[in-house]
Amino acid sequence: MSHANNPEILKRLRRAAGHLASVVAMVEDGRDCLAITQQMQAVIKALEMTKRTLIHHHIDEHLGHVAGNAAGPLPAEARALVAEIKEISKYL
């Protein structure tokens, strides 16, 4: 599945866009700094989660697909390695 067709990625991006629109409106309305920074943190978190979802999707779709096609379904050792790579990616 293409990243463009992944409903989870699109949902997360739309959520981040909504948060960002709220931040812009809050700044335009002259809201207080604390409220704005809290909303900005929500934007940052939403983007970080989207990035993680995108990277995991890429790993699953491409690395898992290539390794699986080479010799049938992925053996347990290869699945464990893919899971480890996904876990490491949270530090990006």
Side-chain angles (χ1 to χ4, degrees):
M1 172 191 328
S2 164
H3 302 311
N5 297 325
N6 186 307
E8 183 66 21
I9 293 169
L10 293 172
K11 178 180 82 174
R12 289 180 179 279
L13 286 172
R14 287 184 183 108
R15 184 178 305 134
H19 285 304
L20 185 55
S22 295
V23 170
V24 171
M26 292 170 78
V27 170
E28 290 172 342
D29 293 342
R31 297 276 303 273
D32 68 272
C33 182
L34 178 60
I36 292 170
T37 56
Q38 287 173 333
Q39 192 66 25
M40 288 176 76
Q41 186 59 36
V43 172
I44 292 166
K45 189 67 173 174
L47 289 174
E48 287 173 346
M49 293 303 295
T50 303
K51 179 178 72 171
R52 182 174 295 142
T53 301
L54 180 69
I55 291 168
H56 287 186
H57 178 263
H58 187 80
I59 290 168
D60 288 340
E61 288 295 314
H62 299 287
L63 181 59
H65 178 72
V66 169
N69 277 347
L74 285 178
E77 184 178 314
R79 284 193 309 274
L81 182 56
V82 168
E84 182 179 342
I85 290 168
K86 288 169 71 171
E87 181 66 21
I88 290 169
S89 74
K90 75 181 181 182
Y91 299 107
L92 294 174

